[in-house]
Amino acid sequence: MTTTLLSLSPQLLAGSASEWSLPFAKLIQQCLVTAKIEIETNGTDVTSLVKEARHKASIPWQAVMETVKSLVSVQEDRECSSFVLKYYVSTHLMLSLPPLLERGMAEEAAQIKDSVLGLLGAGFPQFLLETASRSSDLKIVCLCLQEVSVLCTENKTTTRVLKDKSDTSLLHLLSLVFNPKSRVQKAAYTVLEKLETSTDSGHILPLLQFFSKNKSEIVNNLDNFITILDREKVDSVACREMLNRCTMGQAKLFVKLAPLFRSLSSTKDAETIFKFGLECLDGDDDDAADAVKEIIIQFGEHLIDNLGNEKVWSFYSSCLSSKMMVTCSGLSKPVSHVMLNSLATSSTLTEKVTDKLQEKLLSSLVKFCLVDTTLEARNLMLIIPPGPTALLEQFKNIWGQEAFTGGRASGRGKFSLLYGSKDTSDEDLERWVQTCWLLEVVEKLVGQQGVEVKEQDWLVLTRPLFVLLRKVADMEVEEGTYKLSLLLGVLLQLLVLVPDSKLRQLETGHLDPELLVHCIRTSPSPDTRQTALQVLARCAVSNPDFILQNSITIFTFMGSHLLKVDSKHSFQVACQALEVIVPAIKTACQSPGRAHQLQATCLGVLTTFVDASLDIPAHRLTEFLVRLINCLGDSEHLWVAALLLVRKDKAGGERRVVELFTQLEVARGLEALLRLLVNTRSDGPHLRKMFGVKLERREDETNEKPDEWDLLRLRALQVVCQVLTASSFKRRVGEVVEEEEVGQMLNLLIEAAILTIQEYGTMDTPMPARLKRNLVTQSERVLEHSLSLLPPSIFLQLTSSLLSSTTASVRHRALEVVSSKLSPPTPLPIPSLPPLVSPLVTLALTEDQPHTQQLALLAVRQLAKLLPDPQNLIQAAEAFSCSFLGQLTNPKVLGAAVLSCGDILTCLGPLAVARVPDLVSWLCARLEGEEKGQSWTEKEVAVVHNSFLYCLQRLVETFVGFLHPLLPRLVALACRLTGSSPSTLGRAKLLLACLATTIPPHTTLSLSTQLLETVWSDAVSVPPFVNFVSDNCRRLERGQLSSVSKQFVELFTKALGYRSRPTSDLETVDQVEDSIISAFLSIALRLSLEDFMPVYQRLMSLHLVGTNTQLTTMFNLTNKVGAKLKSLFSFGVESSLLAVTNILKEERPAELVSACLGSLTTVLTYNKVEVITLVQYEQLVTTLLSPWLLSSPSLPPCLVQLATSTPDDTNWKYLHYQLLLGLRDTRATVRLAVLSVLTMCVTDRTDTYLPVLPDAVPFLQEILEDDDQTVETACREFIKHMESTFGQNIESYFV
C-alpha cells in the first residue's frame, strides 16, 4: 500500500500540491523511521515495484526518492507553494535523517539533505537553526548544528546570518547556547566560534566575543549567566542590535535572551521593550504570554524607572486591564496579578516613586478594582502607603469633591450621591466597590501601625467615614452588612491609633455617637455590634457626656446581647469597652454638679450586668465581673456585687461570689466581706433602694412572714461563710496572712462578726423566731471561720480572750475553731500551745452549756496529746478529779471528761501514778452500779460505758503494774460486760484483750480460781473468762507452759465441772462447756504430744468414774480432741472404744448417748479399728446394736463410720450380719435406719461387698414383703443402688 501511494505521488502532487505535500512528507518520515528500505530493486514500472515490495516486505528506495523529488519540484514552484508549507515539508524530511544515519544509510541521508537544501536554498541555515531551537530530539538538534557548522564555512552564509536583521538564525543560535544539554551547547558554540572569525560580524562581534569568552562558565552551569552579566558588562550596541531583532515578532527567542537585555537602561530601550510587550499582550499564544511574563519579571526595575513614560505606563495599564493568563511556578495567574506582585516585591519601589506617581498608581488601582479586587493591588499600596490626604482625595473622586464638606457627619452635606433613596444604580454599585477596596487598603495600612503611620493625621478621614456609615446604615441587610462591618472596623482602627489627647481636642461634628448606637440596636450581626460598641467606646473619650446619658442603653446591650454569645472575641470586646466607657463616665461626672450622678450610674451599670448574669456563660462571668468591679472601684462596689449576685441567683449565686473573690486581691476581698457585715447590720432607705427592697418594713403582728431586708441579711451572712470556707480563698489568705494589711482586715472582720452576733442577739425588731436564730447562728459561723484564717500567733492570743467571753455563742464558736486547729496535723506551733491549757480547763470546769463544756473537755484531750512537756497538764489532772466527775450529770459531758482524764493521765506518765487507782476504782464502781438513778437513754448509757472502758484500757496499758489489787475486779467486770451488753461488747473485748496482753500469766493463774468463782454464777461471763485465760497463757513458750500445766489443768478441770451445776437451760450449758473445752485445747495443744497425753489421760480417768453429766463432758472433750488431733489421736482410740462399750451396756440419758456416739464417730473418722481384739469388737457391735439404742439418731453415722474404719473381713462380716438382723426389728424406723447404713456401706466398699451379698439376700427378700410400704420402697431403692454401684444385675441372687 505504501509503495503504491509513493508511486502515485507525482500525479497526486501535480494535481493538488497544497493538499498532498504535507501528507506525503509525513508518510516519508514515518516510512524512513519505521519501515524496511530496499536499496536495490529489479522492477521498473509501478506494478513490478509493488509486487517486489510485497514479496520482500520492504519499501523501495527508488519510490521514496521519486516522491522526495516530486515534493521538491512542486515546492520550488512559488505559485503552488508557500513558505509555511515549505517549512513543514522540510521539517518532516529533516526529521527522517537520524534514523537513516543510524541504519548506516549515509548516502541516502545525504540525498534527502541535498533535496531539502535545494528546496530552501539560502534559507537553509536559518531553517536548520530554527529546527534545532524548536526540537526536543537531541539527535535532530546535533545534526542541524553540525550541518550549520559546515555551511558557516561559506562566506555568503555567514554574511546573511550576521548582517541580515530579518534573519533569526543568530537568535536561534544563542537560544541553543542556553540549552540545558551541554552537548547541544558545545555544538552551538562550534557554530558561534565560526561566526566570530567572520569578517562580516560588524556590531555583533562584541556579543559573540562575550559568549566565547565565558564559554566554560556557561556550559558548566547556565545559572552562572546572571552572575556573569552582573560581573561583566555586555556591549550595549550589540545588545540593542539583538533586542531589535528579538522584538520583531520573535517572542519565544526573546524569552530565552531576556537576561541579556537587562543591561540596557536607556529610555529608548525601555520603550522598545515595553512596546514589544504591548504587542505581545495582543497575542493569544503561549509564547506571547511567556514574553509578557519575562518583561514584567526581568524588567521590573526598568518599568519603575520609566513609569512616567507614556509607552511604559500604557504597558502597565494594559497589563491591569488584560485578561491574559501566564504560568508562574506551575500556577496560572492573570498577568495583572503578576505585574502588581512584581511591583510590590521590588526593593526600590518606595525610593523611586514620587508623590504624584503614587497618586497616579492609587487612582489606577481604584479603577482596576472594578475589574479585579485582587490582593496584590492592596499589597502594592501597603508597600507605597498613601497618606490620609491622598486617601481623602480618592474618596472625593469617587463620591464627588463636595461630598464630605458638610458641617456635621450626620448632615446631608452638598452632595446628593450620598443621600436620597435606598435604590442603588450601577454607578452607585461601582462607587461602593471602589470605596470598599479603599477601605480595605486603609484597614490594612492602619493595621501595620508603623511609626510613620502613627504620626499622620488620620482624623481627617473620620468625617467621610461617618458620612459613609450613615448611608450604609440605611441599606438593606444583605447589601450593607459587609460595608457596615468594614466601615466600623476601619473607624475602630483609626480611633485606636489616635492618642486620647487628640481625640479630646476633636470637634464634636466629626463623630456621630448616635449613629453608632443606631448600628448597635439594628445590626443583626454580633460581630458588627461588637465593633460598633468598640468604636463608641473610643468616641467616649471625645464625647463623654453622650456616653453618660446613654450608659444604661449601652450596658444593657452588652449584658443582654454581647456577653450571651460564648465567644472569646465577644468577651474581649466587652472588656475593652468597659475599660474605656467606665472611665469616660467617671470623667463626665467630675464636672461641677454631677458628683451624685456617679454613684447612681455605677450602681445602675453593676445592676444591669448582674441582672444579665444568668445568661452570661459561667466561665466568662467571673472574669468579666472582676474587670467591671476593677473599673468601677472594688472597695465601693465588690460587696454590692456579691449581694446582688446572691439575690439574683438563689441557686448558684454563692458559688459565683466565691469564684469572684478568688480572682481578686485578698485584702480587697476581706474588706468587701467586712463592708458586707457592717452595712447589712443597719436598715436604712438608701440600702433598701440600692438592692431593690421595699422601703417600708413589713408589718406583721404574727411575725410569720419575714421582711425582704431580713432575708437579704441572712443571705449576706451565708455568702460570707461560703467565701471564708472556700478552699481556694483560704489558700490565698494563707499565702499572704503575714502581711500587715491582711492581718488588720482579719482582726476587723472578727470584731465585726462579734458585734454582729451581739446585734442580732439583742435585736428587738419583730421577725420570725426561726429567722432570728438563723441570723445569730450564721453570725457565729462567720466568727468561727474568721478565726480559722488567723495565723497561729495571732490566733492563740485572740482565742484565749474569746474563750473567756461572756457570750456563750462566742465561746462555743471559738472552741470549735480551737478543736479544728488542734486536729492533727495541727498548723499551730507546738511550743506556743501551753497557754491554751488554763483557759480550756477553766472553761471545762465553769461552762454551763453542755455542748460547749464537752468541746472544752475534748479540746483539753487534744491538747494533752500534743504537748511535749507533761508538767503543763498537772493543772488539768488536778481539776478533773473523781469528785468533779461525780458532779457531772450530762452523759456526753461525762463521757468526754472520762476520755480526757484517761489521755491526760496517760500523757502524764509517772506523775499520775498516785491518781490512777482512785480513778480506776471509781470507774469500776460506776460500771458495776450500771448508772442507777440516772434518767439516761440506752444510747446515752452506752456512750458513757464505752468512754469508761476506753479510759480503763488506756490506764491498764500504761499503769498495769500499779493496779494489782484491782485486777480481779477489772477482769470480772470486763468478762461480765463482754457477755452481757451488746452496746459495750466491742469496747469490753478490747479491754479484756488489753488485760490478757498486759497481766503476767503467773498472776492470772494464781487469781484464776478466785476469778472463776466470781464469774461462775453468770453463765455469759464464763466464756469471756476462759478465753481471757487462754489468750493470757498463749503468751508463754512451750517450755514455760509445761511448768504451769498443773495450774491451768486444775483450773480447767474445775471449769469442766460446769455441767454438774444445777441449771435448767441445757443449751446454755452446752455453749459454755464448748467454750471451756475450746479454750482449754487452745492452750493444751500447744504442749508436745508426749506432754499432752498424760494431761488428757488424767482428765479421762477423773470423769470416767463420775456421773452421767461428767461422762457427757468427758465424751465432748474426746470429740474435740479427736477432731483437733485427727490421726495423731491413735493413743486414745482403744480407751475410747472400750469406754463406749462399757458406758452403753446399760441404758443412758439421751445427751450422754449423743455425746458418746458423736465422739466415737469423730475418732473413727480419722483412725482404723485395729487396736482391739475380735471379742472386744463383737462386744462393741453388740452394744451399739442393743435394742434400746437402735432408735438413737446418732447411731447410723456411727455405724457407717465403724464399718468404714473396719479393715478386717472377719470383723466386717460379723458387723454386716448383725446389721442384717436389725432388719427384723419390729420398729419400721429401725429397719429404715439399718437400710440407710447398708446403703452407705455399699457405697464405701463397692465391689468388695459382693462376697457378703448372699448373706443379705434372705433378709432383703423378707423386707421386700414388709408390711410398711416405706420400708419396702427403701429396700427396692437399696437394691437399685447396689446394681448401679456394682454395674451388674443382681436379680440372679434373688431366684
Side-chain angles (χ1 to χ4, degrees), residues 358-359 362 384-396 404 438 441-442 445-446 452-462 464-465 494 497-498 502:
Q358 184 189 55
E359 294 179 4
L362 179 59
I384 48 172
T389 305
L391 292 169
L392 178 61
E393 288 300 320
Q394 291 301 321
F395 282 121
K396 289 181 179 180
F404 310 110
L438 269 179
V441 171
V442 175
L445 185 61
V446 178
E452 296 180 359
V453 175
K454 290 184 177 180
E455 292 177 352
Q456 298 179 19
D457 184 16
W458 291 99
L459 289 177
V460 299
L461 294 178
T462 54
L465 292 179
L494 291 181
L497 189 65
V498 176
K502 289 188 177 181

Side-chain angles (χ1 to χ4, degrees), residues 384-419:
I384 48 172
T389 305
L391 292 169
L392 178 61
E393 288 300 320
Q394 291 301 321
F395 282 121
K396 289 181 179 180
N397 292 337
I398 295 171
W399 294 100
Q401 291 298 319
E402 298 181 355
F404 310 110
T405 59
R408 294 178 64 248
S410 58
R412 277 186 169 272
K414 300 178 181 179
F415 189 54
S416 60
L417 282 176
L418 289 170
Y419 311 101

Side-chain angles (χ1 to χ4, degrees), residues 96-129:
S96 63
L97 295 183
L100 288 175
L101 293 172
E102 289 176 353
R103 294 185 186 184
M105 302 172 68
E107 294 181 2
E108 288 75 11
Q111 295 177 23
I112 298 292
K113 181 188 71 173
D114 293 340
S115 298
V116 175
L117 178 61
L119 176 64
L120 296 176
F124 187 53
Q126 180 179 352
F127 165 75
L128 289 174
L129 289 172

